[in-house]
Amino acid sequence: MVFQKKVKLISSEKLTSDLFRLRFFCPEVAKGAKPGNFAHIRISQNTTPLLRRAFSIFDVDLKKKTFDILFKVVGLGTKILSEKKKGESLDVLGPLGNSFLISSKEQNLVLVAGGMGIAPLMFLASYLVKSEKIKREKISFLYGEKTKNNFVCLGQLKKLGVKTVLTTEDGTKGFKGKVTDLFLKRRIKLGIGKNCFIYSCGPQKMMKKMSELSKKYDLFCQLSLETHMPCGLGACFGCVVKYIKNDTTPLAGQATYKRICVDGPIFDAREVELD
Ligand SMILES: Cc1cc2nc3c(=O)[nH]c(=O)nc-3n(C[C@H](O)[C@H](O)[C@H](O)COP(=O)(O)OP(=O)(O)OC[C@H]3O[C@@H](n4cnc5c(N)ncnc54)[C@H](O)[C@@H]3O)c2cc1C
Ligand code: FES
């Protein structure tokens, strides 16, 4: 169920020069959110900016009835959001979108995050670790950043006890290269194959690469896609992605368009065509 209500900001934490974590008191979203869902937040009371901004649910606390978002300042909306103070209220719509498919079988689970893609995947990692059906030694977390100072959540990942492999584009920490290079290089060692569940989120170029690799090796990989989202409710078609059904029905192979806000943001990497 989707809620729209004014919710109180419980805390705002600056993690790096441009990265913030906000915590909201909202029993409905805390209870209803699943990994992959997002919140659509009205940043301002006036018309600047007019449209809501989308943020993945990064964490929930069922006891305290809170949910968190993690975001990077990239423009006016996120700049204003970073300046919000504890006690202020914001209009929140959520939880929105579909969620990651959770395997009930004993499979290798590989989470592949690039930059801000860490936000939905941290929520997923916590969820998987809490699940009694999944053994944490089956979970691997590949996390890439441009440089070592950009990493966040390393303490949380350690606490979760999942196998974590880091990579930086400048080689200042972990493997040197993009997280997709690491994914390819460690593919065999991590047992990545047809029976594996892969979950990925990151910049558009990375999502395109993950989609290409999933098609090439026929891997089950779910991508969390991001784009500009004017309405967030399926009404404006401002958020579409080219989609080609990958099954044996008569519609297989035919291109159509899906709305990321209501049909996604989670898609099978083999079924989307990204620019
Ligand atoms: C489902 C979903 C989940 C998201 N989760 C997160 C999250 O957890 N953390 C986070 O930091 N961001 C997340 N985003 C992206 C976030 O919504 C944008 O960064 C935000 O809307 C930018 O608003 P702004 O007013 O600061 O920037 P604007 O002034 O609107 O834009 C500034 C610059 O950023 C670019 N930009 C803006 N929005 C996007 C976007 N969605 N994708 C690519 N480029 C964009 C613009 O083209 C422009 O160059 C998510 C987006 C979606 C759709
Ligand atoms: S944002 Fe309007 S249809 Fe998706």
Side-chain angles (χ1 to χ4, degrees), residues 229-232 234-239 259 261:
M229 231 171 231
C231 77
C236 71
F237 284 75
C239 65
R259 292 159 297 178
C261 65

Side-chain angles (χ1 to χ4, degrees), residues 118-180:
I118 189 76
L121 294 187
M122 273 310 294
F123 184 25
L124 176 66
S126 311
Y127 188 93
L128 293 172
V129 166
K130 280 180 205 150
S131 159
E132 283 169 11
K133 288 183 200 145
I134 293 162
K135 292 191 183 126
R136 73 180 67 185
E137 52 272 24
K138 292 269 174 194
I139 308 171
S140 305
F141 203 112
L142 312 188
Y143 178 18
E145 284 286 1
K146 281 199 160 57
T147 187
K148 69 172 182 183
N149 294 336
N150 292 0
F151 283 112
V152 286
C153 306
L154 296 186
Q156 272 169 270
L157 280 167
K158 201 171 174 190
K159 254 193 205 163
L160 289 178
V162 297
K163 195 187 309 157
T164 303
V165 192
L166 304 178
T167 177
T168 46
E169 285 180 33
D170 63 2
T172 47
K173 197 172 176 82
F175 178 86
K176 185 173 192 269
K178 292 182 188 295
V179 73
T180 44

Side-chain angles (χ1 to χ4, degrees), residues 53-56 70-72 74-75 77-78 119 226-229:
R53 298 294 193 257
F55 300 96
S56 301
L70 180 77
F71 69 94
K72 193 173 188 162
V74 293
T78 43
E226 295 184 2
T227 185
H228 292 281
M229 231 171 231

Side-chain angles (χ1 to χ4, degrees), residues 180 183 198 200 206-214 223:
T180 44
F183 177 82
I198 303 154
S200 186
M206 174 187 159
M207 293 298 89
K208 184 172 159 61
K209 185 75 187 174
M210 287 304 292
S211 169
E212 287 165 3
L213 293 174
S214 303
L223 304 178

